[in-house]
Amino acid sequence: MNPTVKKWIPAAIALALAVGGYTYWAGQHNAGPGAGFVSGNGRIEATEVDVATKLPGRVQAILVDEGAFVQAGQPLARMDIVSLRAQREEAAARQAQARTAVDTARAQVALRESDIRSAEAQVAARAAELDAAQRRLARSTTLEKEGASSGQELDDDRARVRSQQAALDAAKAQVAAAQAAVTAAKAQATGSVASTDAAVATVARIDADLQDAQLVAPRDGRVQFLVAQPGEVLGAGGKVLNLVDLSDVYMSFFLPETVAGRVPLGAEVRIVLDAAPQLVIPAQVSFVASTAQFTPKTVETASERQKLMFRVKARIDRALLAKYLEQVKTGLPGVAWVRLDAAQPWPASLANALQP
């Protein structure tokens, strides 16, 4: 036999096997319910939540294990709060100090207001004395003209009037000063009240931080994996664990533009997983992408990835998920069959779907 021909025999056999295998796969792949149905490959997914710390700090304790089912509000982890407690004590002391400052400022306002009343009384007294001095001066002036009084007495009365006038002006100045002091005391009281409000807000903020130091489950779910361990120091937003909501499970798959436009929201879907081909899982279309996109590598073959496809989500009923909660697994690949014609019955292979 020609050596060259002998050399190419294994390659020819391999090519024939590949072609035959592809033909068989294509026949099996295209075998389905028939017209009125369309399928897409995808994987089971679920809503995931990263439980993270709000503030930087040290992880004090992890209260759950990987794989544990948790309920909304259940404590999952605790952060170290020694520093926060010290900050709260300091803020509480400042709050008490601010309240004392308010009381002191209000007492100062009352004191300054009493000073105003005292100064006003002094003004009244000085005004009366000035009036008496003016009357005495008037009489002295008349008597001096009649020769019944000496010029010295007239000069003394005039000096007395000027003195009383100066005393009255001084008393009025004291009233103005007392009024200014009241205004300043009231401003100080207002500032003290504002400081008290700020101190109260600071205590409330630290109390919120103390509450956030205990990480709780935001929803029912299952702990998928732990990211941090007790003793680790995390920054703000540092992830502690990952939670998956097994009551919100769906399959994402892709359909070509030739059929995606005919898929309505709420259309019935049957999901068949590679891991359990004997089980048919009912679902409904909950999302159809508005714009086309390339199909991910994990879903279609290399040639088909060059086509533009539309992403579709088929959501599984919550009641069914609750019934089989222990068996729900994410990441499992499978096929989603979508019924485009609601009047066409499901074939026998897809009719016996699981019931909630």
Coordinates of all heavy atoms in Angstrom, one line a residue, residues 9 24 38 44 48 65 95 129 136 146 184-185 196 248 258 265 274 288 291 299 302 316 338 355:
I9 N -5.2 7.2 6.4 CA -6.3 6.3 6.7 C -6.8 6.6 8.1 O -8.1 6.8 8.3 CB -5.9 4.8 6.6 CG1 -5.8 4.4 5.2 CG2 -6.9 3.9 7.4 CD1 -5.4 3.0 5.0
Y24 N -25.6 12.2 14.2 CA -26.5 11.6 15.3 C -26.9 12.6 16.3 O -28.0 12.7 16.7 CB -25.7 10.4 15.9 CG -26.5 9.9 17.1 CD1 -27.5 8.9 16.9 CD2 -26.1 10.2 18.4 CE1 -28.2 8.4 18.0 CE2 -26.8 9.7 19.5 CZ -27.8 8.8 19.3 OH -28.5 8.3 20.4
V38 N -40.2 25.7 20.8 CA -38.8 26.0 20.5 C -38.0 25.8 21.8 O -38.6 25.9 22.9 CB -38.7 27.5 20.0 CG1 -39.2 28.4 21.2 CG2 -37.3 27.9 19.6
I44 N -29.6 26.5 35.4 CA -30.4 26.9 36.5 C -29.7 28.0 37.3 O -28.5 27.8 37.6 CB -30.8 25.7 37.4 CG1 -31.7 24.7 36.6 CG2 -31.5 26.2 38.6 CD1 -33.0 25.3 36.3
E48 N -28.7 35.7 44.0 CA -27.7 35.6 45.0 C -27.5 37.0 45.7 O -27.6 38.0 45.1 CB -26.4 35.2 44.4 CG -26.4 33.8 43.8 CD -25.0 33.3 43.3 OE1 -24.0 34.0 43.6 OE2 -25.0 32.3 42.5
D65 N -23.4 27.8 59.1 CA -22.4 27.0 58.3 C -22.8 27.0 56.8 O -24.0 27.4 56.4 CB -22.4 25.5 58.8 CG -22.0 25.4 60.2 OD1 -21.0 26.2 60.6 OD2 -22.5 24.6 60.9
Q95 N -23.6 64.3 74.7 CA -25.0 64.6 74.8 C -25.4 65.2 76.1 O -26.1 66.2 76.2 CB -25.8 63.4 74.5 CG -27.3 63.6 74.5 CD -28.1 62.3 74.1 OE1 -27.5 61.4 73.6 NE2 -29.3 62.3 74.5
E129 N -35.5 111.6 89.4 CA -34.6 112.5 90.0 C -34.3 113.7 89.0 O -34.2 114.9 89.5 CB -33.3 111.8 90.3 CG -33.5 110.8 91.4 CD -32.2 109.9 91.6 OE1 -31.2 110.1 90.8 OE2 -32.2 109.1 92.6
R136 N -36.7 122.0 90.6 CA -36.0 122.9 91.5 C -35.2 124.0 90.8 O -35.2 125.1 91.3 CB -35.0 122.0 92.3 CG -34.2 122.7 93.3 CD -33.2 121.8 94.0 NE -32.4 122.5 95.0 CZ -32.7 122.7 96.3 NH1 -33.9 122.1 96.7 NH2 -32.0 123.3 97.1
E146 N -36.0 137.4 91.3 CA -36.7 138.2 92.3 C -35.8 138.7 93.4 O -36.2 139.4 94.3 CB -37.9 137.5 92.9 CG -39.0 137.2 91.8 CD -40.1 136.3 92.4 OE1 -39.9 135.9 93.5 OE2 -41.1 136.1 91.7
A184 N -27.5 87.9 73.1 CA -26.3 87.0 73.1 C -26.6 85.7 73.8 O -26.2 84.6 73.3 CB -25.1 87.7 73.6
A185 N -27.3 85.8 75.0 CA -27.6 84.6 75.8 C -28.6 83.7 75.0 O -28.4 82.5 75.0 CB -28.1 85.0 77.1
T196 N -27.0 69.9 71.3 CA -27.7 68.8 71.9 C -28.3 67.9 70.8 O -28.2 66.6 70.8 CB -28.8 69.3 72.8 OG1 -28.2 70.1 73.9 CG2 -29.5 68.1 73.5
D248 N -36.4 31.9 44.4 CA -36.3 32.7 43.2 C -35.4 32.1 42.2 O -34.2 32.5 42.0 CB -35.9 34.1 43.6 CG -36.1 35.1 42.4 OD1 -36.7 34.7 41.4 OD2 -35.5 36.2 42.4
T258 N -35.5 34.8 15.1 CA -36.6 34.3 14.3 C -37.8 33.8 15.2 O -38.9 33.8 14.7 CB -36.1 33.1 13.4 OG1 -35.5 32.1 14.3 CG2 -35.1 33.5 12.4
L265 N -44.5 37.1 27.4 CA -44.3 36.9 28.8 C -45.4 36.1 29.4 O -46.6 36.2 29.0 CB -44.3 38.3 29.6 CG -43.1 39.2 29.3 CD1 -43.3 40.5 30.0 CD2 -41.8 38.6 29.6
D274 N -30.1 18.0 32.5 CA -29.2 16.9 32.1 C -29.0 15.9 33.3 O -28.9 14.7 33.1 CB -27.9 17.4 31.7 CG -27.9 18.3 30.4 OD1 -29.0 18.3 29.8 OD2 -26.9 18.9 30.1
V288 N -37.9 38.6 28.5 CA -37.3 38.5 27.2 C -36.6 39.8 26.9 O -37.1 40.9 27.0 CB -38.4 38.3 26.1 CG1 -37.8 38.2 24.7 CG2 -39.3 37.0 26.4
T291 N -33.1 43.8 23.4 CA -32.1 43.9 22.4 C -31.4 42.6 22.2 O -31.2 41.8 23.2 CB -31.1 45.0 22.8 OG1 -30.5 44.7 24.1 CG2 -31.8 46.4 22.9
V299 N -23.1 28.2 26.2 CA -24.5 27.8 25.8 C -24.5 27.1 24.4 O -25.0 26.1 24.2 CB -25.5 28.9 25.9 CG1 -26.8 28.5 25.4 CG2 -25.5 29.5 27.3
A302 N -19.5 27.0 18.7 CA -18.6 28.1 18.2 C -19.3 28.8 17.0 O -19.3 30.0 16.9 CB -17.2 27.6 17.9
I316 N -39.3 29.4 37.7 CA -40.0 28.3 38.3 C -40.9 28.7 39.4 O -40.5 29.6 40.2 CB -38.9 27.2 38.8 CG1 -38.0 26.8 37.6 CG2 -39.6 26.0 39.4 CD1 -36.8 25.9 38.1
V338 N -40.1 26.0 25.1 CA -41.1 27.0 25.2 C -42.3 26.7 24.2 O -42.0 26.4 23.0 CB -40.5 28.4 24.8 CG1 -41.5 29.5 25.0 CG2 -39.3 28.7 25.7
Q355 N -45.7 18.8 40.0 CA -46.7 19.6 40.5 C -46.4 20.2 41.9 O -45.7 19.4 42.7 CB -48.0 18.8 40.7 CG -48.6 18.3 39.3 CD -48.9 19.4 38.4 OE1 -49.5 20.5 38.8 NE2 -48.6 19.2 37.1

